[in-house]
Amino acid sequence: MMKIVDGVHRIKLFPSSVYLIEDEKLILIDTGVPGYTSRILRYIRKIGRNPRDIGFIVLTHHHIDHIGNARRLKHLTGSKVVAHEIEAPYIEGKQRAWKDSRIWWTRLLLWISHMMFKKCFTKVDIKLRDGDKIGNLKVIHVPGHTKGSIALLDERRRILFPGDTVPYTLAYIRLKKGPNPYSWDVNKECESLKKLANFDYELILPNDSRIVTQRGAEFVRQCVYHVYKLKVDPG
Protein backbone atom coordinates (compact mmCIF):
# COMPACT_ATOMS: atom_id res chain seq x y z
CA MET A 1 0.00 0.00 0.00
CA MET A 2 1.50 3.31 -1.00
CA LYS A 3 0.98 6.82 -2.27
CA ILE A 4 2.09 7.06 -5.91
CA VAL A 5 1.79 10.85 -6.25
CA ASP A 6 -0.26 13.42 -4.36
CA GLY A 7 -3.86 12.27 -4.40
CA VAL A 8 -3.20 8.86 -6.00
CA HIS A 9 -2.80 5.70 -3.92
CA ARG A 10 -2.12 2.06 -4.78
CA ILE A 11 -3.71 -0.53 -2.50
CA LYS A 12 -1.87 -3.80 -3.08
CA LEU A 13 -4.05 -6.89 -2.82
CA PHE A 14 -3.59 -10.41 -4.16
CA PRO A 15 -3.20 -11.06 -7.01
CA SER A 16 -3.79 -7.48 -8.18
CA SER A 17 -3.93 -3.88 -6.97
CA VAL A 18 -6.66 -1.28 -6.82
CA TYR A 19 -6.27 2.49 -6.96
CA LEU A 20 -7.72 5.29 -4.87
CA ILE A 21 -8.01 8.81 -6.29
CA GLU A 22 -8.51 11.76 -3.96
CA ASP A 23 -10.79 14.06 -5.89
CA GLU A 24 -13.67 16.14 -4.49
CA LYS A 25 -15.04 12.67 -3.78
CA LEU A 26 -12.85 9.61 -3.46
CA ILE A 27 -12.76 7.44 -6.57
CA LEU A 28 -11.89 3.75 -6.24
CA ILE A 29 -10.69 2.06 -9.42
CA ASP A 30 -11.54 -1.67 -9.26
CA THR A 31 -11.95 -3.66 -6.05
CA GLY A 32 -9.92 -6.90 -6.29
CA VAL A 33 -11.02 -10.47 -5.62
CA PRO A 34 -13.62 -11.07 -2.89
CA GLY A 35 -12.41 -10.83 0.70
CA TYR A 36 -10.49 -7.56 0.66
CA THR A 37 -13.22 -5.10 1.60
CA SER A 38 -11.83 -4.55 5.11
CA ARG A 39 -8.29 -3.93 3.85
CA ILE A 40 -9.52 -1.29 1.41
CA LEU A 41 -11.56 0.45 4.13
CA ARG A 42 -8.61 0.35 6.55
CA TYR A 43 -6.37 2.08 4.05
CA ILE A 44 -8.93 4.83 3.48
CA ARG A 45 -9.08 5.47 7.22
CA LYS A 46 -5.29 5.33 7.43
CA ILE A 47 -4.96 8.33 5.09
CA GLY A 48 -7.44 10.28 7.20
CA ARG A 49 -10.52 9.85 5.06
CA ASN A 50 -13.93 8.40 5.84
CA PRO A 51 -14.98 5.41 3.69
CA ARG A 52 -18.24 7.25 3.07
CA ASP A 53 -16.15 9.79 1.16
CA ILE A 54 -16.07 7.27 -1.71
CA GLY A 55 -18.26 8.75 -4.39
CA PHE A 56 -17.59 6.28 -7.19
CA ILE A 57 -16.36 2.73 -7.59
CA VAL A 58 -15.19 2.51 -11.20
CA LEU A 59 -14.90 -1.01 -12.60
CA THR A 60 -12.63 -1.31 -15.64
CA HIS A 61 -14.24 -4.65 -16.61
CA HIS A 62 -16.29 -7.52 -15.22
CA HIS A 63 -13.67 -10.13 -14.24
CA ILE A 64 -13.90 -11.27 -10.62
CA ASP A 65 -10.47 -9.88 -9.67
CA HIS A 66 -11.89 -6.43 -10.44
CA ILE A 67 -15.49 -6.57 -9.21
CA GLY A 68 -15.03 -8.87 -6.21
CA ASN A 69 -15.67 -6.35 -3.41
CA ALA A 70 -17.81 -3.80 -5.27
CA ARG A 71 -21.17 -4.95 -3.94
CA ARG A 72 -20.09 -4.93 -0.29
CA LEU A 73 -18.22 -1.64 -0.60
CA LYS A 74 -21.25 -0.05 -2.20
CA HIS A 75 -23.45 -1.27 0.65
CA LEU A 76 -21.06 -0.03 3.36
CA THR A 77 -20.19 3.35 1.86
CA GLY A 78 -23.20 4.39 -0.18
CA SER A 79 -21.01 4.93 -3.25
CA LYS A 80 -22.12 4.49 -6.86
CA VAL A 81 -20.82 1.68 -9.06
CA VAL A 82 -19.67 2.87 -12.46
CA ALA A 83 -18.77 0.87 -15.60
CA HIS A 84 -19.06 0.93 -19.37
CA GLU A 85 -22.59 0.34 -20.62
CA ILE A 86 -21.52 -2.83 -22.49
CA GLU A 87 -19.95 -4.25 -19.33
CA ALA A 88 -22.91 -3.54 -17.05
CA PRO A 89 -24.94 -6.70 -17.83
CA TYR A 90 -21.90 -8.88 -16.99
CA ILE A 91 -21.30 -7.06 -13.69
CA GLU A 92 -24.98 -7.41 -12.82
CA GLY A 93 -24.94 -11.13 -13.65
CA LYS A 94 -27.43 -10.83 -16.50
CA GLN A 95 -24.97 -11.63 -19.30
CA ARG A 96 -22.90 -14.84 -19.35
CA ALA A 97 -19.24 -14.26 -20.21
CA TRP A 98 -18.60 -17.95 -20.92
CA LYS A 99 -20.99 -17.77 -23.88
CA ASP A 100 -18.60 -15.43 -25.71
CA SER A 101 -16.16 -16.92 -28.21
CA ARG A 102 -13.00 -18.01 -26.37
CA ILE A 103 -10.90 -21.15 -25.92
CA TRP A 104 -13.03 -23.89 -24.29
CA TRP A 105 -11.06 -24.04 -21.03
CA THR A 106 -11.28 -20.27 -20.64
CA ARG A 107 -15.05 -20.52 -21.00
CA LEU A 108 -15.03 -23.25 -18.37
CA LEU A 109 -13.09 -21.04 -15.93
CA LEU A 110 -15.52 -18.18 -16.56
CA TRP A 111 -18.47 -20.50 -15.89
CA ILE A 112 -16.91 -21.70 -12.62
CA SER A 113 -16.21 -18.10 -11.60
CA HIS A 114 -19.81 -17.12 -12.39
CA MET A 115 -21.20 -19.95 -10.27
CA MET A 116 -18.81 -19.43 -7.34
CA PHE A 117 -19.16 -15.67 -7.05
CA LYS A 118 -22.82 -14.99 -7.79
CA LYS A 119 -23.06 -12.96 -4.59
CA CYS A 120 -20.55 -10.47 -6.01
CA PHE A 121 -22.78 -9.29 -8.83
CA THR A 122 -24.01 -5.75 -8.28
CA LYS A 123 -26.10 -3.09 -9.96
CA VAL A 124 -24.24 -0.58 -12.10
CA ASP A 125 -25.53 2.88 -11.16
CA ILE A 126 -23.78 4.90 -13.87
CA LYS A 127 -23.20 3.49 -17.35
CA LEU A 128 -20.35 5.04 -19.27
CA ARG A 129 -19.45 5.62 -22.90
CA ASP A 130 -16.17 6.51 -24.55
CA GLY A 131 -15.19 10.10 -23.76
CA ASP A 132 -17.27 10.45 -20.59
CA LYS A 133 -15.68 11.82 -17.40
CA ILE A 134 -15.80 10.67 -13.80
CA GLY A 135 -14.33 13.44 -11.69
CA ASN A 136 -11.07 14.33 -13.45
CA LEU A 137 -10.81 10.93 -15.15
CA LYS A 138 -11.50 10.59 -18.85
CA VAL A 139 -13.08 7.31 -19.95
CA ILE A 140 -11.44 5.50 -22.88
CA HIS A 141 -13.29 2.49 -24.27
CA VAL A 142 -10.69 -0.21 -25.01
CA PRO A 143 -12.51 -3.39 -26.12
CA GLY A 144 -10.50 -6.56 -26.48
CA HIS A 145 -9.75 -7.95 -23.05
CA THR A 146 -13.53 -7.79 -22.60
CA LYS A 147 -16.19 -6.15 -24.74
CA GLY A 148 -16.63 -3.17 -22.45
CA SER A 149 -13.15 -2.74 -20.97
CA ILE A 150 -12.19 0.84 -20.17
CA ALA A 151 -9.01 2.71 -19.37
CA LEU A 152 -9.07 5.92 -17.33
CA LEU A 153 -6.89 8.93 -18.07
CA ASP A 154 -6.07 11.57 -15.47
CA GLU A 155 -5.09 14.33 -17.89
CA ARG A 156 -4.04 16.74 -15.14
CA ARG A 157 -1.66 14.31 -13.46
CA ARG A 158 -0.79 12.58 -16.77
CA ILE A 159 -1.58 9.11 -15.43
CA LEU A 160 -3.19 6.22 -17.32
CA PHE A 161 -5.12 3.52 -15.47
CA PRO A 162 -5.42 0.84 -18.18
CA GLY A 163 -7.17 -1.92 -16.24
CA ASP A 164 -5.88 -5.14 -17.81
CA THR A 165 -5.52 -3.88 -21.37
CA VAL A 166 -1.85 -2.90 -21.25
CA PRO A 167 -0.31 -5.38 -18.79
CA TYR A 168 -1.92 -8.53 -20.16
CA THR A 169 -0.97 -7.64 -23.71
CA LEU A 170 2.61 -6.70 -22.82
CA ALA A 171 3.12 -9.82 -20.71
CA TYR A 172 2.26 -12.06 -23.62
CA ILE A 173 4.39 -9.97 -25.94
CA ARG A 174 7.45 -10.37 -23.71
CA LEU A 175 6.96 -14.11 -23.37
CA LYS A 176 6.14 -14.48 -27.08
CA LYS A 177 3.30 -16.83 -26.24
CA GLY A 178 0.94 -15.36 -28.76
CA PRO A 179 -2.65 -14.28 -28.09
CA ASN A 180 -3.89 -13.94 -24.54
CA PRO A 181 -6.50 -16.68 -23.97
CA TYR A 182 -8.26 -14.56 -21.33
CA SER A 183 -9.08 -11.85 -23.84
CA TRP A 184 -12.38 -11.78 -25.68
CA ASP A 185 -10.86 -10.53 -28.98
CA VAL A 186 -7.10 -10.22 -29.43
CA ASN A 187 -7.37 -8.18 -32.63
CA LYS A 188 -9.56 -5.61 -30.93
CA GLU A 189 -7.17 -5.60 -27.97
CA CYS A 190 -4.37 -4.72 -30.40
CA GLU A 191 -6.42 -1.84 -31.80
CA SER A 192 -7.19 -0.63 -28.29
CA LEU A 193 -3.51 -0.63 -27.40
CA LYS A 194 -2.88 1.46 -30.50
CA LYS A 195 -5.67 3.82 -29.38
CA LEU A 196 -4.05 4.26 -25.96
CA ALA A 197 -0.75 5.10 -27.64
CA ASN A 198 -2.31 8.29 -28.99
CA PHE A 199 -2.88 9.89 -25.59
CA ASP A 200 -0.44 11.83 -23.43
CA TYR A 201 0.58 10.35 -20.06
CA GLU A 202 3.74 9.81 -18.06
CA LEU A 203 2.70 7.06 -15.61
CA ILE A 204 0.92 3.78 -16.32
CA LEU A 205 -0.76 2.24 -13.28
CA PRO A 206 -2.05 -1.25 -14.18
CA ASN A 207 -3.88 -3.55 -11.82
CA ASP A 208 -1.67 -6.62 -12.00
CA SER A 209 1.65 -5.70 -13.54
CA ARG A 210 4.57 -3.39 -12.90
CA ILE A 211 4.07 0.36 -12.78
CA VAL A 212 5.60 2.41 -15.59
CA THR A 213 6.92 5.56 -13.93
CA GLN A 214 8.13 7.59 -16.91
CA ARG A 215 7.43 8.06 -20.62
CA GLY A 216 4.38 5.83 -20.37
CA ALA A 217 2.83 6.82 -23.69
CA GLU A 218 6.14 6.29 -25.48
CA PHE A 219 6.42 2.89 -23.83
CA VAL A 220 3.07 1.86 -25.34
CA ARG A 221 3.92 3.42 -28.73
CA GLN A 222 7.16 1.45 -28.92
CA CYS A 223 5.29 -1.72 -28.05
CA VAL A 224 2.74 -1.12 -30.79
CA TYR A 225 5.44 -0.32 -33.33
CA HIS A 226 7.88 -3.14 -32.60
CA VAL A 227 5.34 -5.91 -32.02
CA TYR A 228 2.46 -5.04 -34.31
CA LYS A 229 4.51 -3.10 -36.88
CA LEU A 230 2.02 -0.25 -36.69
CA LYS A 231 3.02 3.39 -36.72
CA VAL A 232 1.39 5.62 -34.14
CA ASP A 233 1.37 9.40 -34.23
CA PRO A 234 1.08 10.92 -30.75
CA GLY A 235 -2.26 12.66 -30.24
Side-chain angles (χ1 to χ4, degrees):
M1 301 186 186
M2 60 183 292
K3 181 171 78 171
I4 304 295
V5 298
D6 286 344
V8 179
H9 304 260
R10 184 189 198 192
I11 306 174
K12 184 66 177 172
L13 309 176
F14 178 84
S16 59
S17 299
V18 303
Y19 293 95
L20 185 70
I21 314 298
E22 292 189 80
D23 212 323
E24 183 177 345
K25 284 278 191 179
L26 294 177
I27 299 175
L28 184 66
I29 301 176
D30 290 320
T31 67
V33 294
Y36 283 110
T37 298
S38 296
R39 182 178 293 191
I40 292 169
L41 296 179
R42 279 199 306 270
Y43 185 83
I44 292 170
R45 295 188 185 102
K46 180 181 175 182
I47 64 172
R49 300 293 297 263
N50 188 319
R52 288 201 164 267
D53 291 342
I54 301 177
F56 305 104
I57 299 170
V58 185
L59 303 175
T60 59
H61 60 289
H62 68 264
H63 290 163
I64 194 61
D65 56 329
H66 294 259
I67 73 167
N69 299 286
R71 181 173 180 169
R72 189 157 179 241
L73 285 167
K74 176 182 176 178
H75 174 72
L76 293 173
T77 67
S79 53
K80 294 185 181 299
V81 172
V82 183
H84 193 276
E85 60 181 359
I86 295 174
E87 212 71 359
Y90 295 94
I91 295 167
E92 295 175 344
K94 299 174 182 176
Q95 185 77 18
R96 305 330 191 205
W98 73 82
K99 293 186 177 181
D100 297 338
S101 56
R102 288 183 174 89
I103 298 172
W104 71 268
W105 58 265
T106 306
R107 295 202 305 271
L108 177 61
L109 288 175
L110 290 169
W111 177 80
I112 292 171
S113 174
H114 181 96
M115 294 302 166
M116 286 181 63
F117 300 111
K118 283 184 177 181
K119 290 184 179 180
C120 295
F121 294 133
T122 188
K123 183 179 184 298
V124 175
D125 302 294
I126 300 175
K127 298 175 183 179
L128 301 169
R129 293 183 177 182
D130 188 56
D132 286 348
K133 297 201 80 170
I134 292 291
N136 289 316
L137 300 176
K138 181 176 182 177
V139 176
I140 307 169
H141 182 210
V142 283
H145 187 60
T146 66
K147 293 180 181 180
S149 285
I150 58 172
L152 299 160
L153 179 63
D154 187 328
E155 294 175 294
R156 179 168 59 87
R157 296 185 179 99
R158 300 181 67 222
I159 299 175
L160 178 72
F161 302 90
D164 280 351
T165 297
V166 171
Y168 267 109
T169 304
L170 295 185
Y172 271 75
I173 286 167
R174 290 194 204 98
L175 296 174
K176 297 184 178 178
K177 288 187 176 180
N180 174 11
Y182 296 103
S183 288
W184 161 67
D185 189 311
V186 174
N187 291 325
K188 289 187 184 301
E189 191 173 34
C190 167
E191 289 302 311
S192 290
L193 195 62
K194 182 180 177 183
K195 180 179 180 178
L196 290 178
N198 284 292
F199 291 91
D200 177 40
Y201 44 90
E202 187 75 5
L203 277 68
I204 302 176
L205 302 183
N207 289 88
D208 61 354
S209 185
R210 69 182 179 88
I211 291 173
V212 177
T213 59
Q214 57 184 350
R215 302 182 66 209
E218 180 61 23
F219 177 72
V220 174
R221 281 193 285 272
Q222 289 298 316
C223 164
V224 171
Y225 177 75
H226 290 294
V227 177
Y228 298 109
K229 310 304 179 186
L230 299 173
K231 291 185 177 180
V232 180
D233 296 322

